[in-house]
Amino acid sequence: MLRFAAVGIDHGHIFDHVNGLLGEGAEFAGYCPETSVPALMEQFRKTYPDAKPLDRDAIFADQSIDVICTAAIPRDRAGIAIRAMQAGKDVMVDKPGVTTSEQLEEVKGTVERTGRIFSVCFSERLCVPSAVMAGKLVAEGAIGRVVQTLGMGPHRKSLFSRPDWFFTPEAYGGIINDIASHQVDQFLFYTGSEKGEVVASSVGNFGTPQSPAFQDFGEVLLRSSKASGYIRVDWFTPDGLPTWGDGRLTILGTEGYIELRKYIDIAGREGKDHLFLADKSGVRYTDCSEEPLEYFAAFVKDVRDRTETAMPQRHVFEVCRLALDAQAKAAVIASNPQD
């Protein structure tokens, strides 16, 4: 039986990792209680009351632990992953997996030397049933050849619940590298592109004057030999919306298009995971809320069989590279919200 531990409980995505692995029959060996968000740790303890708090060094030294999950402060994720891989463990990392190009090269080198798995759990595709269904439809040719993806990732700031590192670009990696890595992953996946390039990108601080270095808006234009992609991410979800963000994805094909309303159908149907498909036969709607997730079962298989069915390693590295490149090249279009 696969055994896993959690090291770095600083973001709520750690619950996706733990729940996903538990759902595939893995054993939760324990967790390191170090955190920058005490309220999150308290929620974690209540959610998994039988899990054991363990010393971090002891976790890495325990040869019976196969996998380390981490949703640490973004700047610390690469270091935790490298240490885990050097200790003979595979790794499941929250996005962004890295915050600098230097970290990416160090992770690549460690993967090559150790043969371990460095998997970034891009939850907006891998943990969203409608996104899983969209992948199946695209693979079946339901909309023909994919021409473009248009991904939007709005988020609510929730300022009073955020730790200090949330407002420091060096810590979270910038809005494009942090949030838009989701949409970069989706662009490569749905267009079937192994590589891409950044055509243009921009960032800004339009509405957070108390934190001048913070970025609350970002956009990216991507291109590959197969398709193009546009991404918009922001921290402007209004308080009146009954969810943290109206995340959407449109996949344009030569014979139709798919739109996902992942978390809410605003002023429409109840619930999440709404998929709309338009083609020559008409328009149809699918409630994808019961569509099973596949990533965690595939990851467990990969750990056991040393395969890459959950996510090719080259895909992970290319998403990281593109997100870092877009962040580094971004033009600043608003830097003083008080102007």
Side-chain angles (χ1 to χ4, degrees):
M1 177 186 294
L2 182 149
R3 301 185 78 235
F4 72 96
V7 177
I9 302 174
D10 298 278
H11 193 289
H13 284 159
I14 194 68
F15 292 97
D16 291 328
H17 302 181
V18 174
N19 292 340
L21 290 173
L22 286 174
E24 297 303 324
E27 178 185 344
F28 191 9
Y31 62 93
C32 172
E34 298 175 28
T35 183
S36 63
V37 191
L40 182 64
M41 178 55 67
E42 183 61 25
Q43 181 186 359
F44 193 85
R45 288 193 176 105
K46 290 180 179 178
T47 304
Y48 311 108
D50 296 328
K52 299 176 182 178
L54 300 171
D55 176 77
R56 181 168 296 200
D57 291 339
I59 290 175
F60 287 116
D62 189 340
Q63 295 302 303
S64 73
I65 294 175
D66 305 292
V67 171
I68 297 294
C69 300
T70 184
I73 298 172
R75 68 181 171 210
D76 298 333
R77 292 173 188 173
I80 290 171
I82 289 169
R83 185 177 178 188
M85 289 187 287
Q86 290 173 337
K89 306 179 192 308
D90 296 310
V91 185
M92 182 181 292
V93 188
D94 185 21
K95 62 79 214 165
V98 299
T99 56
T100 68
S101 296
E102 291 76 16
Q103 286 183 354
L104 178 56
E105 291 308 310
E106 290 176 13
V107 168
K108 283 183 176 180
T110 305
V111 169
E112 184 175 354
R113 288 190 299 273
T114 63
R116 308 318 300 180
I117 297 169
F118 176 80
S119 187
V120 178
C121 181
F122 296 109
S123 56
E124 290 193 24
R125 174 169 66 89
L126 302 172
C127 300
V128 173
S130 57
V132 175
M133 174 61 79
K136 293 179 178 179
L137 290 170
V138 168
E140 292 168 1
I143 57 172
R145 176 183 175 184
V146 175
V147 175
Q148 188 213 36
T149 61
L150 193 162
M152 293 184 288
H155 286 61
R156 180 178 286 122
K157 269 186 237 177
S158 302
L159 293 177
F160 297 108
S161 67
R162 301 292 184 177
D164 291 343
W165 59 260
F166 175 80
F167 303 97
T168 307
E170 180 272 332
Y172 70 85
I175 189 170
I176 292 175
N177 188 55
D178 180 20
I179 300 179
S181 56
H182 282 304
Q183 284 73 30
V184 174
D185 161 69
Q186 291 166 53
F187 164 74
L188 292 175
F189 176 75
Y190 292 113
T191 65
S193 301
E194 291 190 7
K195 300 188 77 63
E197 64 176 308
V198 177
V199 180
S201 58
S202 58
V203 296
N205 183 341
F206 288 90
T208 318
Q210 66 273 36
S211 301
F214 186 65
Q215 299 165 359
D216 54 26
F217 175 88
E219 60 181 349
V220 184
L221 180 61
L222 295 173
R223 178 169 60 205
S224 75
S225 62
K226 296 184 175 182
S228 71
Y230 176 76
I231 296 166
R232 190 205 81 207
V233 291
D234 65 77
W235 288 100
F236 291 120
T237 294
D239 289 342
L241 194 76
T243 188
W244 57 267
D246 185 9
R248 298 196 183 196
L249 173 69
T250 299
I251 308 169
L252 175 64
T254 55
E255 299 176 23
Y257 68 90
I258 293 169
E259 182 186 350
L260 306 184
R261 301 178 188 180
K262 296 180 180 180
Y263 311 114
I264 186 172
D265 182 12
I266 188 168
R269 298 167 175 81
E270 295 292 326
K272 302 187 293 184
D273 288 297
H274 308 281
L275 184 149
F276 302 86
L277 190 153
D279 60 15
K280 63 183 179 182
S281 301
V283 179
R284 68 178 187 266
Y285 165 77
T286 304
D287 176 354
C288 302
S289 57
E290 298 301 318
E291 182 69 19
L293 304 179
E294 301 173 335
Y295 167 72
F296 296 98
F299 179 86
V300 170
K301 178 181 181 296
D302 290 342
V303 171
R304 182 188 69 229
D305 299 339
R306 312 317 299 168
T307 50
E308 296 186 15
T309 62
M311 183 183 300
Q313 192 67 74
R314 67 176 183 275
H315 174 86
V316 175
F317 291 154
E318 182 65 3
V319 174
C320 293
R321 185 191 71 80
L322 282 172
L324 288 169
D325 191 35
Q327 184 69 54
K329 291 179 176 178
V332 178
I333 57 175
S335 59
N336 189 345
Q338 295 177 320
D339 287 348

